[in-house]
Amino acid sequence: FVTVPAPPGTYPLSLTGVLPIPRFDACLNDEQVTGLILLSTQTARSQFGVQSTPTFIFNDRPVEGAITFEEWQAAVDPLLN
């Protein structure tokens, strides 16, 4: 991985972007955002049995963990036909 220093007054988000600290903190402290994240997590657990990340859902079928290209292909190809 390549580390790119964040400009002053920002948090690094990725190799290509940054988010100003006040905007990040506002999002982090937003109860509506927190509620939506918790709802999404609860739905993933109850509906799909998600227990870890990463978990990918292919037509209601969860695939857990880091998967190889071949595993991606095996999961996606049948859905394309």
Side-chain angles (χ1 to χ4, degrees):
F1 290 95
V2 175
T3 302
V4 177
T10 64
Y11 289 127
L13 286 183
S14 70
L15 297 180
T16 60
V18 295
L19 188 65
I21 289 172
R23 192 165 167 208
F24 179 86
D25 289 342
C27 182
L28 190 63
N29 295 312
D30 186 322
E31 290 183 21
Q32 184 177 2
V33 171
T34 302
L36 291 171
I37 291 170
L38 289 173
L39 178 62
S40 175
T41 301
Q42 291 168 345
T43 301
R45 287 181 179 160
S46 65
Q47 189 171 350
F48 300 106
V50 173
Q51 297 179 23
S52 64
T53 60
T55 298
F56 305 95
I57 310 295
F58 297 97
N59 275 3
D60 297 333
R61 185 177 69 87
V63 176
E64 292 184 341
I67 59 177
T68 65
F69 175 79
E70 291 76 19
E71 291 168 315
W72 269 100
Q73 195 169 28
V76 172
D77 280 353
L79 304 176
L80 299 176
N81 297 326

